[in-house]
Amino acid sequence: MQQRHSRADFPIRGIISDLDGVAYRDDHPILASVQAFQAWHQQGVPYAFVTNNSTKSAAQFAAKLSGMGIPATAAQVFNTISAVTFLLQQRWPRGTPVFATGEQPLLEALELSGFRLTETNAEVVVLGFDSRLTYAKLRTAIRAALAGATVVATNPDVLTPVHDGYDPCVGVLTAAVTAAVPTAVPIVVGKPDPFMIKQALGHLGTSKQETVMIGDQIKTDIVAGQAAGLRAVLLASDVPFNAVTGVVPDLVIASLLDLVASPAEETGAFR
């Protein structure tokens, strides 16, 4: 896979990184990644995280990272829970009836944002990762879409990495709904949309030219990073169906440690 720039082209002054498949796999930290973030923390290189995962709050993700040895706070984490609630608040009034699949953090965030969770007469269907997904939930989502409800998906991923392989993700559920209701065109808030990356960049305060987006999936992480105007770094993995025609990462690495500057180099630069 051809790189668009050599590793020495630009210094790195800021890091934006995916979580699943980059910092860890399921509940198992990726040791080299832990070491890289520890080094960046010690060097004073600011970093933030963007994830399509809607199963945890920002505070929960930060606690998970900290428990693995990666220094992190909730302010450094941007996920699709906040992206979904931002979208709904922009387009629908408080009290709008919403049917949602998802874990408790997503459901709680929707209620705290002023929306009424319901299984009947929903005007919006929110599709998030749901480990307790049932046929009844799928039926409710499809019937709401048939009745004209707007479908909002937290992310397009069809697979999510876990410690022993991959599990089906929200994209599979979205495909089922749209297969049943072809007129329902879902709004997808997660990557490859660059919204969360732009939020993270604003938090870091670094320039686009000196900030990189790191991910393990071309169709979400790399596309989103480049759409936000950043250099996009692919952490090589065994993710199936990872290639995207016409999309070339700016850099391909085998380990996050490949990006960490040695003491003899300028802090934060490609080495």
Side-chain angles (χ1 to χ4, degrees):
M1 185 175 293
Q2 184 179 4
Q3 296 170 197
R4 301 198 312 173
H5 301 286
S6 74
R7 295 175 61 187
D9 278 344
F10 306 101
I12 296 178
R13 305 297 188 196
I15 306 286
I16 299 176
S17 175
D18 181 40
L19 286 176
D20 298 326
V22 176
Y24 52 73
R25 278 283 184 88
D26 198 15
D27 291 325
H28 299 266
I30 298 173
L31 180 58
S33 298
V34 173
Q35 294 171 339
F37 282 109
Q38 289 175 342
W40 285 321
H41 180 72
Q42 293 169 359
Q43 293 172 355
V45 178
Y47 54 83
F49 302 94
V50 292
T51 175
N52 279 351
N53 192 324
S54 63
T55 65
K56 294 180 176 64
S57 67
Q60 289 173 318
F61 277 119
K64 179 174 182 176
L65 289 166
S66 297
M68 292 178 173
I70 298 175
T73 65
Q76 293 172 279
V77 180
F78 300 85
N79 73 349
T80 49
I81 291 180
S82 58
V84 165
T85 55
F86 179 83
L87 173 71
L88 266 61
Q89 288 173 328
Q90 292 295 306
R91 300 195 183 186
W92 286 275
R94 293 176 63 88
T96 297
V98 174
F99 172 72
T101 66
E103 302 296 308
Q104 199 60 33
L106 173 62
L107 303 181
E108 290 177 354
L110 289 169
E111 288 189 311
L112 288 172
S113 298
F115 298 97
R116 179 169 60 86
L117 297 184
T118 181
E119 295 184 358
T120 58
N121 301 317
E123 294 182 25
V124 182
V125 172
V126 174
L127 302 177
F129 183 86
D130 192 335
S131 60
R132 296 174 299 279
L133 182 67
T134 62
Y135 179 82
K137 291 181 180 180
L138 176 60
R139 178 180 60 202
T140 300
I142 288 174
R143 287 187 176 181
L146 284 169
T150 300
V151 178
V152 176
T154 57
N155 57 289
D157 304 77
V158 294
L159 295 172
T160 185
V162 293
H163 73 282
D164 59 351
Y166 294 87
D167 285 347
C169 199
V170 180
V172 174
L173 175 57
T174 306
V177 173
T178 56
V181 193
T183 56
V185 179
I187 300 171
V188 182
V189 301
K191 299 170 291 182
D193 189 281
F195 174 72
M196 292 187 297
I197 295 176
K198 292 178 179 178
Q199 282 188 313
L201 184 65
H203 170 76
L204 294 181
T206 52
S207 70
K208 293 179 181 180
Q209 293 76 17
E210 295 186 330
T211 306
V212 295
M213 169 64 199
I214 306 170
D216 67 323
Q217 297 199 46
I218 293 177
K219 65 183 177 181
T220 52
D221 302 316
I222 302 307
V223 171
Q226 293 179 348
L230 278 57
R231 287 168 293 156
V233 178
L234 179 70
L235 177 62
S237 72
D238 58 348
V239 179
F241 314 113
N242 203 12
V244 176
T245 302
V247 179
V248 180
D250 294 276
L251 184 68
V252 181
I253 58 175
S255 163
L256 259 59
L257 288 173
D258 293 341
L259 296 179
V260 177
S262 69
E265 297 170 309
E266 181 184 2
T267 300
F270 282 138
R271 64 181 176 91

